[in-house]
Amino acid sequence: MEQDPAEDTHAGTGRDDPVDGGHVVALAAIVGAVLVLLALLLALGVRWLAAEAATAGSQRALEIAQAPGGTDGDAQAAARGLTTSVSLITDVDVTIARVGDLVTVTVTAHDRLGGAVSRSSTGPLIRFVPQTRAVP
């Protein structure tokens, strides 16, 4: 049985290829994979930014807590101020622990995506020790 060339079996499609469904599925899979990769990249970027903000906050708070006359309240305020200067950080927890001559500051930064990153900095207390000179 011979087909009449004037008869269009794919009326309205404008295509001669009867198997177009595979191309649409492949395109949908590729677009979906690209969107998942972009979302993953966004999440990793926000986590990295939160970690950097927490690190900066803990180091600055340690400098204040180590200094003679530096109070825990001043150190906590500096850590909160520096860490929340990044607009993606919603909340900050700051803990300061003193054990002997060591001070440890831990800053936990909570980001807008619901994650939290903690960073700690440790160092000795800074004390002024006057130097004595032998008089000749």
Side-chain angles (χ1 to χ4, degrees):
M1 175 180 208
E2 193 172 317
Q3 186 176 0
D4 183 13
E7 183 181 323
D8 187 9
T9 57
H10 304 290
T13 63
R15 299 187 59 101
D16 292 336
D17 186 11
V19 189
D20 279 343
H23 297 295
V24 172
V25 172
L27 179 64
I30 290 171
V31 169
V34 168
L35 290 176
V36 167
L37 286 175
L38 286 175
L40 180 63
L41 183 64
L42 175 69
L44 289 175
V46 168
R47 182 168 174 82
W48 174 80
L49 191 61
E52 290 296 313
T55 300
S58 70
Q59 289 174 352
R60 181 66 184 128
L62 177 64
E63 291 172 3
I64 294 171
Q66 285 177 311
T71 64
D72 288 356
D74 291 340
Q76 289 174 342
R80 280 193 181 91
L82 185 60
T83 306
T84 57
S85 67
V86 176
S87 61
L88 290 174
I89 305 300
T90 57
D91 192 23
V92 177
D93 299 323
V94 181
T95 57
I96 299 174
R98 297 176 184 268
V99 178
D101 286 342
L102 289 178
V103 179
T104 301
V105 177
T106 302
V107 174
T108 303
H110 302 274
D111 61 48
R112 293 192 185 273
L113 297 180
V117 178
S118 293
R119 293 293 184 260
S120 295
S121 296
T122 302
L125 288 174
I126 298 172
R127 297 193 177 166
F128 176 72
V129 179
Q131 185 176 4
T132 57
R133 295 175 116 188
V135 179

